[in-house]
Amino acid sequence: MHILALAFVLSAAPASAAAGSPLWGPLEPGRYAIGFRQLERYDYSRQYRPARRLDGKPRTGERARPMRISIWYPAGAVPPGSQPLTFGDYVGMIAGEDRFGPLSDMERARGERTFFQFPIFREMTPEQRERLKAMPGRAYRDAPAAGGKFPLLLYSLGSAALAHVTPEYLASHGYVVAQMPRLGVSFGLPPDGLDARDLESKIRDMDFLLAAMHDFPAADVGNVGIVGFSAGGRWGLSELMKPGDVHAMVSLDSVLLFNDPTGQAWRKLPLFNPELVRAPLLHMIRREWVPREDRGMWRQMRHSERSSMVFEDANLDHLDFQSAGFGTTLVGMRPRAAAAVAATFEAFHRYTLAFFDAHLKGDSKAKTFLARIPAQNGFPAGLVTAEATPAIPAPITDLELMAEVGEGSLDSVVAAFRREWKERGEPPITEADLNLAGYSLLLGGAAPADAAKLFELNVEAHPESPNVYDSAADAHLAAGNREKALSYSRRGLALLERDAAIPEDRRKLIRQSLEEKIAKLTGPGS
């Protein structure tokens, strides 16, 4: 069926057709029913409400940062008579994003007013609003979870009302999807502060979300993916810059590469380092936003397998990368954009699923799907422009090295170091990091001979550095190998005398260390 015709058929579908939710459009559900539940957790490490009021009186009630986590998950049999959550059910949850407990009718009404203030919804008639709210999804509240564990997806940090179809769809195909609302740094501040303080807060929210999901039995917290919509692209990519179990990320019309003031503030955070991104990344975005992107940052992520898909239709809205955008066309709004919205809706969902299936489940069919151009996968010509950039093999990181050293796997460290050195033409670890690893062993109670293996490796990699000979001499002296310790000390001192680049204060410390060892090894009674 032509996509435009499909959009009109869906708009006429009865809202009670739960078995075939119109909100899903052409998307095919997976093998699982879908459960939905919310966890209410406080982050007691952060204050959300001040301790005192302006009059100096103590503030009563809980003041910690509230975290109301929405979870979609693969479910087993749905109890007879259960009804799926509707679009309106999700909309009503908005008022509870920064407070816990049951919501009153008044609070739900306030949540609806907040939701329908989004520009894309403002022109809706009351009848269109009611039709949209009545549309059923496919998730059932508190349905029993299916047996086993499933890869965990952290979904941006946004509202379930805007994007519930995507988590439902992924859950039906065997994923646990967890989402948190967008909260300001503290109570009363806007959800997006557009500064470094707000960015740091959102990144910590993501960390808290991952930690909280350790309590959800069906979630495989060792096999994690991220979906980052809008500003959530920055928060998600920040997780990829840290060591952990995030193995893939999808960016949905996100500001991931923007070099706006908020992006500049992000670049100044200590954690920001695109070179550390290792997980594969799929970035889907509208053509309208491409001129605002910093492609230099894209190139910096050279150790990540990066794919980009640019959706070309000028009628697309930002919220068309959320299920809410598609929902507007189902009630008769935006008829000129309906065909492009429906095609985009299907494409970003199918590519998101295939991307996670390929990288979190190792599915060969998904890999084949991703390798084809969109037209070969049945999408209209001109809908999207796709390109892929392979990853350059990443060097060993200091954290990986130290972990192997801490586990006593010194032979594997030496072998990996030499292998990568040969392949890259330069040592994969800096002199300072390798030196630190050696001293961690030497001062941590390990056998001095083990520490000497790393110092010898540093001598091999940096034969003109006086400092590496000084360090190696320390290890050999501790191991009782006095002859080698003396030889290394003398060699280090000779190199020090002719290396004018070393700052004088550091030169003095190295000379003092070398001369003390030489005196100890050659003096009376030595």
Side-chain angles (χ1 to χ4, degrees), residues 266-333:
W266 182 36
R267 286 160 172 76
K268 294 177 182 178
L269 294 180
L271 64 81
F272 183 86
N273 187 350
E275 290 271 347
L276 294 179
V277 177
R278 303 287 189 263
L281 171 65
L282 172 59
H283 180 48
M284 293 184 274
I285 193 167
R286 291 168 298 140
R287 174 63 66 184
E288 178 186 348
W289 274 11
V290 170
R292 301 174 65 181
E293 296 193 309
D294 175 9
R295 302 306 293 183
M297 181 178 161
W298 184 258
R299 291 188 290 272
Q300 279 184 287
M301 294 186 283
R302 56 191 180 136
H303 303 306
S304 165
E305 176 187 316
R306 288 145 292 153
S307 300
S308 69
M309 298 180 67
V310 179
F311 288 79
E312 303 290 356
D313 197 289
N315 291 308
L316 292 174
D317 185 87
H318 184 44
L319 288 183
D320 290 334
F321 286 81
Q322 303 278 270
S323 45
F326 180 54
T328 64
T329 68
L330 299 184
V331 296
M333 296 186 71

Side-chain angles (χ1 to χ4, degrees), residues 35-199:
F36 174 83
R37 69 183 59 163
Q38 291 185 309
L39 299 181
E40 296 180 347
R41 299 287 186 270
Y42 285 106
D43 183 351
Y44 291 103
S45 71
R46 290 184 286 169
Q47 177 180 275
Y48 190 60
R49 291 176 172 81
R52 294 186 177 278
R53 297 184 177 277
L54 295 179
D55 60 6
K57 295 180 180 178
R59 192 178 302 275
T60 59
E62 182 57 66
R63 295 185 293 105
R65 188 170 180 82
M67 300 294 188
R68 193 165 197 164
I69 302 169
S70 296
I71 305 172
W72 295 260
Y73 54 91
V78 175
S82 299
Q83 295 296 316
L85 290 165
T86 65
F87 196 107
D89 289 330
Y90 286 115
V91 169
M93 296 176 191
I94 290 178
E97 289 183 341
D98 63 352
R99 68 198 68 198
F100 294 162
L103 297 175
S104 67
D105 291 341
M106 183 179 298
E107 287 172 324
R108 289 182 180 278
R110 186 175 69 248
E112 286 189 14
R113 288 194 297 273
T114 299
F115 179 81
F116 286 110
Q117 282 304 305
F118 279 94
I120 198 173
F121 306 121
R122 287 176 186 168
E123 301 303 317
M124 271 189 176
T125 66
E127 188 270 340
Q128 287 173 328
R129 288 189 182 187
E130 293 307 311
R131 286 178 60 199
L132 183 61
K133 286 163 50 181
M135 287 183 182
R138 290 182 180 266
Y140 295 83
R141 190 184 291 273
D142 296 323
K149 284 187 174 292
F150 303 90
L152 171 64
L153 302 178
L154 307 181
Y155 194 101
S156 186
L157 277 81
S159 168
L162 291 176
H164 55 274
V165 170
T166 308
E168 288 182 354
Y169 176 63
L170 295 169
S172 79
H173 286 274
Y175 292 91
V176 172
V177 186
Q179 180 193 63
M180 290 180 58
R182 300 165 80 149
L183 300 180
V185 173
S186 62
F187 185 70
L189 289 178
D192 291 309
L194 304 180
D195 57 16
R197 183 178 64 163
D198 187 75
L199 275 169

